[in-house]
Amino acid sequence: MTSLRVQLLVWFSGLLTVVGLLGGLGAAVVALREQDEFLDGQLRQIALNVGDTAGVADLSSGLDDIDPDDRILITVWDDRGRVIRSSDPAVALPRPARAGFVDLVVDGVAWRGYALVTPSRVVTVAQDQEVRTEAAAGAAGDTILPIALLIPLSWVLVSWVVGRLMRPLRDLVDSLARRRPGSDAALDSRGLPAELVPLVGAVNDLLARHHDLLELRQRFV
């Protein structure tokens, strides 16, 4: 015999789990997209504000605490195709033919870049794609974690709610168990859910007919 309480717990808990997982997945997708758009916007802003100072940018002074993997490459070409500025000469970014975002692979390393093309110069700003992926995954994880923690909490809440909903039914069963044989007192339907009122009415009718039958038997005897 299957318990109604168990069925309610399974269905409600399963429903909340599925909704939580779908919500977490949707939030992760949105977080990934927003993080990617944010990083792309940074690349574009850097490209728009890069100067034309010739030579290699000096990154050795006061920047020892910066992770080398977090670096952003900046390369500037003049109108003749000569490099007039490079933040890291060890990584030779290809000169882009058009403006906009571009995915590059240099020496086996994937880069996400933005190219600014003007008549006098070409600027490319690029970031390691792996670093971007890790940042996006971290943002998605921070979004999913609260939802994942709420799923077990929802199970506890469902168990408590189902227990409260089943209490009137348990009280009704206890009331029937405490009745004395032959009692003709009707069951009290006050405070019961509307779905249980017809059941209580049917039980009261059955008890009344049973009492009448007992009285008829006694009179006959």
Side-chain angles (χ1 to χ4, degrees), residues 150-210:
L150 284 175
I151 291 177
L153 181 61
S154 70
W155 297 341
V156 177
L157 182 61
V158 165
S159 178
W160 179 78
V161 170
V162 170
R164 289 293 300 268
L165 293 176
M166 297 295 293
R167 181 177 299 174
L169 187 57
R170 292 197 303 269
D171 293 342
L172 180 60
V173 173
D174 293 340
S175 177
L176 285 171
R178 292 193 300 267
R179 289 177 65 89
R180 291 178 299 174
S183 173
D184 60 346
L187 296 174
D188 189 4
S189 61
R190 291 176 299 178
L192 292 177
E195 290 78 8
L196 290 181
V197 172
L199 175 62
V200 172
V203 171
N204 285 334
D205 182 62
L206 178 62
L207 291 175
R209 284 185 286 144
H210 180 67

Side-chain angles (χ1 to χ4, degrees), residues 32-198:
L32 288 172
R33 183 170 57 189
E34 289 183 349
Q35 182 72 9
D36 197 52
E37 292 175 353
F38 171 75
L39 295 175
D40 281 348
Q42 280 190 328
L43 294 180
R44 185 174 182 273
Q45 288 299 318
I46 293 173
L48 293 173
N49 292 279
V50 166
D52 293 332
T53 303
V56 178
D58 183 11
L59 301 178
S60 60
S61 176
L63 299 178
D64 295 336
D65 59 337
I66 295 180
D67 190 342
D69 292 335
D70 294 339
R71 70 188 188 280
I72 293 179
L73 298 183
I74 301 173
T75 306
V76 183
W77 296 266
D78 61 13
D79 55 353
R80 297 182 181 181
R82 296 176 301 181
V83 176
I84 61 175
R85 182 174 183 179
S86 176
S87 61
D88 189 354
V91 182
L93 294 177
R95 187 173 185 271
R98 60 181 180 82
F101 292 101
V102 60
D103 294 319
L104 307 170
V105 178
V106 180
D107 296 331
V109 179
W111 299 85
R112 173 68 170 176
Y114 178 80
L116 176 66
V117 180
T118 67
S120 60
R121 67 172 184 168
V122 175
V123 179
T124 296
V125 181
Q127 187 178 27
D128 192 333
Q129 185 65 57
E130 184 177 353
V131 174
R132 292 168 58 94
T133 302
E134 291 177 356
D142 293 339
T143 303
I144 294 175
L145 182 60
I147 298 176
L149 293 177
L150 284 175
I151 291 177
L153 181 61
S154 70
W155 297 341
V156 177
L157 182 61
V158 165
S159 178
W160 179 78
V161 170
V162 170
R164 289 293 300 268
L165 293 176
M166 297 295 293
R167 181 177 299 174
L169 187 57
R170 292 197 303 269
D171 293 342
L172 180 60
V173 173
D174 293 340
S175 177
L176 285 171
R178 292 193 300 267
R179 289 177 65 89
R180 291 178 299 174
S183 173
D184 60 346
L187 296 174
D188 189 4
S189 61
R190 291 176 299 178
L192 292 177
E195 290 78 8
L196 290 181
V197 172

Side-chain angles (χ1 to χ4, degrees), residues 204-217:
N204 285 334
D205 182 62
L206 178 62
L207 291 175
R209 284 185 286 144
H210 180 67
H211 183 266
D212 292 342
L213 181 61
L214 289 177
E215 284 190 341
L216 180 61
R217 239 174 82 183

